[in-house]
Amino acid sequence: AQSVTQLGSHVSVSEGALVLLRCNYSSSVPPYLFWYVQYPNQGLQLLLKYTTGATLVKGINGFEAEFKKSETSFHLTKPSAHMSDAAEYFCAVSDYGNKLVFGAGTILRVKS
Amino acid sequence: EAGVVQSPRYKIIEKKQPVAFWCNPISGHNTLYWYLQNLGQGPELLIRYENEEAVDDSQLPKDRFSAERLKGVDSTLKIQPAELGDSAVYLCASSSPGLAGGNDTGELFFGEGSRLTVL
């Protein structure tokens, strides 16, 4: 069975600083990996996904993530944080689409 | 293209009362999901439909929860009777088959959720 661990339930960065949100996964098969963002009182929106191919994946709003099989990680990064990035971020793993399992989420706070 | 539509957005009920949530998925999406999101946690799958068939309902508490998707389009999730611990956000999502090979890549499209408060 798949599982996801997100290190740090809260992350705080200054505006313009690097954003790094950590995600480690467990999967018995080569996984599909996702990052979703959730703004207050809204549903989840896909930021980016890894299925096959290039391990560095670029998403919307300047985010990117790198699939590292040896480390079973899929950390999310953004070079320069913006106030509008403040939200909750969820990492998720899927075994070829049969079931999407989410991590507990990381709340990103951006300080001015 | 219209997204996943859920109603109601908010619902407050007394414990032991029934409640129902409705979801209309994106047109053409044959897979529909209901997720439960407790405060401070990630979404957890309750039930997954492929067209009108429930293919994964292992996490649905069947003593009080029920769901249906009669015509393979919109879906209803019901709780009867509601308990205090059911206070949460109920998310609906849909997906469609992927690209070449027909495999679903697992990308889900979510509605805004229905927030339930049980008093």
Side-chain angles (χ1 to χ4, degrees):
Chain A
Q2 299 98 322
S3 66
V4 174
T5 301
Q6 290 185 239
L7 299 176
S9 59
H10 293 77
V11 170
S12 182
V13 302
S14 298
E15 191 173 21
L18 172 71
V19 175
L20 171 60
L21 305 182
R22 300 178 185 274
C23 172
N24 288 89
Y25 70 90
S26 172
S27 177
S28 58
V29 298
Y32 290 169
L33 295 160
F34 305 80
W35 275 99
Y36 282 82
V37 60
Q38 186 176 34
Y39 298 100
N41 298 315
Q42 295 187 27
L44 280 73
Q45 177 185 1
L46 182 69
L47 270 181
L48 50 79
K49 64 180 178 182
Y50 168 80
T51 54
T52 58
T55 57
L56 181 62
V57 179
K58 296 185 183 298
I60 62 173
N61 301 337
F63 285 93
E64 62 183 35
E66 185 172 11
F67 169 57
K68 292 187 176 181
K69 183 178 179 180
S70 62
E71 299 178 8
T72 60
S73 68
F74 192 57
H75 302 329
L76 181 70
T77 61
K78 181 175 181 178
S80 177
H82 191 272
M83 296 297 289
S84 61
D85 295 327
E88 189 161 18
Y89 293 80
F90 293 94
C91 182
V93 62
S94 168
D95 60 346
Y96 304 142
N98 288 327
K99 182 174 180 177
L100 200 61
V101 175
F102 287 87
T106 298
I107 295 174
L108 176 65
R109 177 186 171 213
V110 181
K111 299 176 292 185
S112 59
Chain B
E1 176 183 280
V4 176
V5 179
Q6 292 187 245
S7 67
R9 288 292 314 278
Y10 304 92
K11 188 73 174 179
I12 301 173
I13 60 172
E14 299 281 337
K15 64 181 181 182
K16 300 185 180 180
Q17 295 300 305
V19 64
F21 305 111
W22 175 81
C23 172
N24 187 256
I26 292 173
S27 178
H29 283 193
N30 55 356
T31 306
L32 184 146
Y33 310 76
W34 283 102
Y35 277 85
L36 166 68
Q37 185 176 21
N38 285 305
L39 185 65
Q41 298 182 26
E44 300 172 20
L45 181 68
L46 287 173
I47 189 168
R48 175 169 68 99
Y49 283 93
E50 295 288 347
N51 299 305
E52 63 273 10
E53 181 183 0
V55 297
D56 184 354
D57 63 355
S58 57
Q59 300 302 311
L60 189 71
K62 298 181 182 64
D63 57 335
R64 297 185 300 106
F65 286 67
S66 65
E68 60 183 15
R69 193 184 185 200
L70 294 176
K71 296 183 179 179
V73 181
D74 56 351
S75 175
T76 302
L77 177 70
K78 298 178 181 178
I79 308 174
Q80 182 171 11
E83 297 179 352
L84 295 177
D86 296 332
S87 296
V89 176
Y90 294 83
L91 294 167
C92 180
S94 68
S95 68
S96 66
L99 299 175
N103 290 323
D104 192 335
T105 61
E107 178 178 353
L108 273 58
F109 296 82
F110 283 85
E112 292 184 313
S114 294
R115 181 178 297 275
L116 173 66
T117 301
V118 182
L119 303 176

